[in-house]
Amino acid sequence: MLSVAAPAQFPPDQGIDIAMAGRSNAGKSSAINTLLGRHGMARTSKTPGRTQLLNYFELVPGRRLVDLPGYGHANAPGEVRSKWGPLIEALRRRACFGALMLLVDCRRGLKDEDLGLLEWADLPPDCLHVLLSKSDQLSRSEGLNVLRQVQAQLEGIASAQLFSSLKGVGLEEARSVLKRWASRDAASGKAEGK
Ligand code: GDP
């Protein structure tokens, strides 16, 4: 694992960076821990808005998960926000920036800020996937209703699924998306103009 606080510290621009994003408290750290099967890797209890670093987790050599700072909290000091703006912008501009998984609390649903983040990523639909987190908090039929609604909102933009770190719901589906992405080489794909 590597923590990046400035663009000079990015790992080599090769292979693929898979960004993990979400509003603070959406369940992103828990999802990273569950997906990687390594508990305690991404901190699950932290002061909202305080994560300023980009934390990298290597899946296999050259294939990396990048934990983006949680967004949506007004209490992050202005200086911090203005600092991580350019940093995640630099991340997005890397040739290897190839996919993004977005955590959305299934009880909150998809908000404008989430759609804005997907738009910011500027990636094709098969490179954007939404995990509707904490699905254990809804009944099966409520969960399916939320999923259908979100899929309609994301038509032509991204795929989506129900997910629960607590109960392991959707774990295999989410891992298979990561596996598909990790088999790609975004850096060379973009270099070749694909
Ligand atoms: P982050 O801020 O997006 O990284 O969110 P965390 O992973 O730290 O989780 C925020 C809160 O949601 C914590 O209290 C977690 O225990 C809780 N949480 C995370 N995942 C789940 C889940 O699958 N089910 C339930 N019920 N709670 C969850």
Side-chain angles (χ1 to χ4, degrees):
M1 200 196 101
L2 170 78
S3 288
V4 168
Q9 298 165 349
F10 279 128
D13 192 356
Q14 291 157 3
I16 190 166
D17 277 353
I18 299 170
M20 300 291 293
R23 193 175 204 284
S24 300
N25 215 39
K28 180 164 52 72
S29 307
S30 305
I32 292 172
N33 287 331
T34 305
L35 288 165
L36 298 183
R38 301 180 219 163
H39 286 273
M41 286 294 284
R43 281 182 306 139
T44 47
S45 80
K46 52 203 172 310
T47 311
R50 287 280 294 279
T51 322
Q52 300 137 44
L53 301 172
L54 295 177
N55 289 317
Y56 271 91
F57 304 86
E58 193 167 62
L59 299 170
V60 291
R63 309 296 195 260
R64 302 161 296 265
L65 275 194
V66 197
D67 185 8
L68 264 56
Y71 55 87
H73 271 274
N75 64 354
E79 197 199 342
V80 168
R81 268 178 310 199
S82 64
K83 266 191 190 153
W84 76 244
L87 185 61
I88 61 168
E89 196 54 37
L91 173 85
R92 186 179 71 101
R93 295 209 174 136
R94 278 156 60 83
C96 66
F97 181 77
L100 182 138
M101 204 169 257
L102 174 65
L103 272 290
V104 173
D105 188 323
C106 68
R107 296 164 302 181
R108 280 182 63 90
L110 205 64
K111 296 283 195 284
D112 283 348
E113 59 189 359
D114 303 311
L115 287 164
L117 190 102
L118 292 172
E119 200 178 308
W120 165 84
D122 195 23
L123 290 166
D126 69 336
C127 300
L128 295 170
H129 189 66
V130 172
L131 299 183
L132 292 164
S133 64
K134 312 186 192 181
S135 70
D136 55 275
Q137 297 292 299
L138 298 180
S139 71
R140 192 175 157 73
S141 65
E142 286 170 336
L144 289 174
N145 275 338
V146 170
L147 177 62
R148 271 194 289 269
Q149 195 187 325
V150 167
Q151 281 173 331
Q153 285 176 279
L154 291 176
E155 174 104 57
I157 299 172
S159 51
Q161 64 159 101
L162 293 170
F163 187 80
S164 164
S165 294
L166 197 67
K167 303 282 182 185
V169 176
L171 184 54
E172 287 318 306
E173 189 181 349
R175 279 193 178 143
S176 74
V177 171
L178 284 183
K179 229 174 163 176
R180 173 162 56 82
W181 288 344
S183 70
R184 295 181 185 170
D185 189 327
S188 71
K190 281 183 190 169
E192 289 160 25
K194 283 180 200 159

